[in-house]
Amino acid sequence: MTTELLDAALVEEATKKSGLIWVQGTAGPERALWHVWHEGAALLVGDGPGEQPLPGLADGGTATVTVRSKDKGGRLVGWRAKVVELGAGTEAWEGAVAELKGKRLNAVDGEGMPARWARECRVVRLEPLVGAGVLAASDGDLAAPPLPTGAITRDAVPSGLPRLLGRRRRG
């Protein structure tokens, strides 16, 4: 019993302090997702326009969560979670959205965000599975190749540009 309490405290404290968690659902790759810790679970919002994708996080399913160190970026703890999708308009949804809204950065619609989330997004709770314990640390490198994307880099900087910008500052 003591080990379970210590594991629960470790999961909660590490997840609260981390800005991102790495989540892998039943399908799809592991993804870095922003979250809020509230009432014993990690809350996520996504799968809508302008929000993070939540692939493989189906209601009633499970997920594996890896928490990274905020300062060093290394793995602190891993844990298994039960995925619970919150229905829009319910008391649990309202409480979750109130917490998420305060932490959402760079939202385009500000005060209209909860209404948009109710129409177009999913709000998900990742509840730590009691008794599952924390995941053992991996011995190897946890780096993964980047996910495929349509984004491209711009062309190389023209060779004369640094000189041109340097002259502008002096003058």
Side-chain angles (χ1 to χ4, degrees), residues 68-117:
R68 68 177 184 93
S69 166
K70 197 170 191 173
D71 58 345
K72 302 281 186 191
R75 178 181 171 161
L76 286 178
V77 66
W79 48 280
R80 298 198 193 289
K82 177 182 174 189
V83 180
V84 178
E85 187 169 343
L86 304 177
T90 63
E91 188 176 325
W93 186 88
E94 295 289 341
V97 166
E99 291 293 320
L100 287 161
K101 182 181 173 199
K103 300 292 182 184
R104 176 65 167 95
L105 301 176
N106 304 323
V108 294
D109 51 357
E111 293 302 315
M113 194 168 25
R116 179 173 56 85
W117 286 350

Side-chain angles (χ1 to χ4, degrees), residues 6-166:
L6 289 173
D7 287 349
L10 175 62
V11 164
E12 180 173 349
E13 195 61 27
T15 308
K16 271 185 192 178
K17 291 187 176 190
S18 182
L20 289 174
I21 55 177
W22 290 85
V23 180
Q24 184 168 23
T26 54
E30 187 174 40
R31 291 189 178 268
L33 303 173
W34 73 273
H35 71 287
V36 173
W37 184 269
H38 180 65
E39 295 182 352
L43 302 173
L44 308 169
V45 64
D47 280 351
E51 299 296 341
Q52 61 193 354
L54 303 175
L57 297 180
D59 190 29
T62 60
T64 303
V65 179
T66 303
V67 181
R68 68 177 184 93
S69 166
K70 197 170 191 173
D71 58 345
K72 302 281 186 191
R75 178 181 171 161
L76 286 178
V77 66
W79 48 280
R80 298 198 193 289
K82 177 182 174 189
V83 180
V84 178
E85 187 169 343
L86 304 177
T90 63
E91 188 176 325
W93 186 88
E94 295 289 341
V97 166
E99 291 293 320
L100 287 161
K101 182 181 173 199
K103 300 292 182 184
R104 176 65 167 95
L105 301 176
N106 304 323
V108 294
D109 51 357
E111 293 302 315
M113 194 168 25
R116 179 173 56 85
W117 286 350
R119 283 189 321 270
E120 302 170 353
C121 298
R122 297 170 50 215
V123 175
V124 174
R125 270 178 68 89
L126 297 179
E127 301 173 351
L129 291 173
V130 177
V134 296
L135 302 176
S138 175
D139 291 335
D141 184 4
L142 295 176
L147 297 174
T149 177
I152 59 170
T153 58
R154 60 188 174 113
D155 293 335
V157 175
S159 61
L161 185 60
R163 284 192 314 267
L164 179 64
L165 293 175

